[in-house]
Amino acid sequence: MKVETKFQNIAYRLAKSFDQPGETRSLKWIMRPLLQLITRGMPVSVEDIASETGKSVDEIRDTLSALPSVELDEQGRVIGCGLTLVPTPHRFWVEEKQLYTWCALDTLMFPQLIGRSAYIESPCHSSGTPVRLTVEPERIVSVVPSSAVVSIVTPDDMSSVRSAFCNEVHYFSSASKAQKWLDQHPGASVVSVEDAFELGRLLGRQFENGFDMQSCCDV
């Protein structure tokens, strides 16, 4: 299988896991505006999302209740959906606002979806050595160390994306630093940061364009 085809299939499976029965491509209309609102660095109310998307408050509430792993505060405001206000190992700065992401792949995907550059710092999952990146919507500007890689898993059960996928997608400072983790995760792999960026772009397009398996797998 071509690398591109493999990545397209992974992107499809991940994006499809968000497509809830009874919803009409919910992430197709909510993901980008929701992420852009979260970049303000404050909890996002359903009224904020309704104003941004032109949907009703009730429709926003119904959609949020169906999204897997979405993080809400005590007032029912969104504080995380991939991009989060809740601290994680993956720090994500946008114009001096410090945010976080659920996994390493998110850090590479979200600059495209929010249309803004980001500075990222995430520890090597093995050694703790910081991996630092600057990522623009259309390209990676810098990666330190240049040998850094990203772990990728393809679980069969995607009912909980965060636990099944995100919690296993890490930065490593090099492929050799990832070897012990790979030995403990049969079927997993590591890819270059550049390849992970391309996977993130494919996944972002699935969120934006819907879940068309035919177009996903045509190469």
Side-chain angles (χ1 to χ4, degrees), residues 130-148:
V131 176
R132 298 184 174 95
L133 309 90
T134 301
V135 180
E136 294 179 348
E138 299 298 328
R139 69 186 184 110
I140 298 172
V141 177
S142 63
V143 182
V144 179
S146 59
S147 57

Side-chain angles (χ1 to χ4, degrees), residues 148-168:
V149 296
V150 177
S151 60
I152 299 294
V153 294
T154 53
D156 292 328
D157 181 5
M158 293 295 292
S159 57
S160 175
V161 172
R162 190 167 187 183
S163 60
F165 182 81
C166 296
N167 290 352
E168 300 296 347

